[in-house]
Amino acid sequence: MILIAEYKTKQQKRKFYDSKPWKLLREDIKKRDNYECQECKRNGDVSVDTNEYSESAKRKKIMLVVDHIKELEDYPELALDPDNLETKCVTCHNKKHGRYVDYSLWRKKPKWDDEWW
Ligand SMILES: [Zn+2]
Ligand SMILES: [Zn+2]
């Protein structure tokens, strides 16, 4: 169990995202969501790849993050609540958080993303 009551600073968040319960839960959520972006799915955008081991499926998995629907910072008590978690692709995730990432630049200069891992 994680006993930190708030996740305000980058350090506190990093500690959370680095914790074992989160890492385990994150994988559960991705499995629950079929390794699909739920946002794209809502928009009718997702092409479901049933072959988990195909190249495209692998690529998709790499690009997925598990998002806190209600922000960790504002709702620390929901940090590990599966109902508050959703699988999203990086594009949708960035949109939600208003981040516009230049990926070509990003690759050269990796920047820490809260829910990236
Ligand atoms: Zn998406
Ligand atoms: Zn998020």
Side-chain angles (χ1 to χ4, degrees), residues 81-94:
D81 183 345
D83 291 338
N84 189 42
L85 295 168
E86 195 169 67
T87 306
K88 282 200 169 90
C89 70
V90 174
T91 309
C92 290
H93 191 237
N94 285 335

Side-chain angles (χ1 to χ4, degrees), residues 17 65-69 71 93 96-97 99 114-115:
Y17 288 117
V65 293
V66 174
D67 180 42
H68 285 89
I69 299 166
E71 295 297 326
H93 191 237
K96 179 194 162 189
H97 292 283
R99 295 177 187 137
D114 289 1
E115 286 154 323

Side-chain angles (χ1 to χ4, degrees), residues 47-107:
S47 51
V48 182
D49 195 335
T50 47
N51 181 1
E52 258 223 348
Y53 299 100
S54 72
E55 280 307 305
S56 60
K58 260 188 240 161
R59 265 202 300 277
K60 254 193 248 166
K61 265 195 231 182
I62 292 166
M63 298 300 282
L64 290 173
V65 293
V66 174
D67 180 42
H68 285 89
I69 299 166
K70 290 178 179 166
E71 295 297 326
L72 181 65
E73 203 173 308
D74 303 327
Y75 298 86
E77 69 276 17
L78 299 177
L80 293 169
D81 183 345
D83 291 338
N84 189 42
L85 295 168
E86 195 169 67
T87 306
K88 282 200 169 90
C89 70
V90 174
T91 309
C92 290
H93 191 237
N94 285 335
K95 242 184 252 169
K96 179 194 162 189
H97 292 283
R99 295 177 187 137
Y100 297 96
V101 181
D102 180 344
Y103 286 102
S104 58
L105 214 123
W106 198 14
R107 220 166 296 158

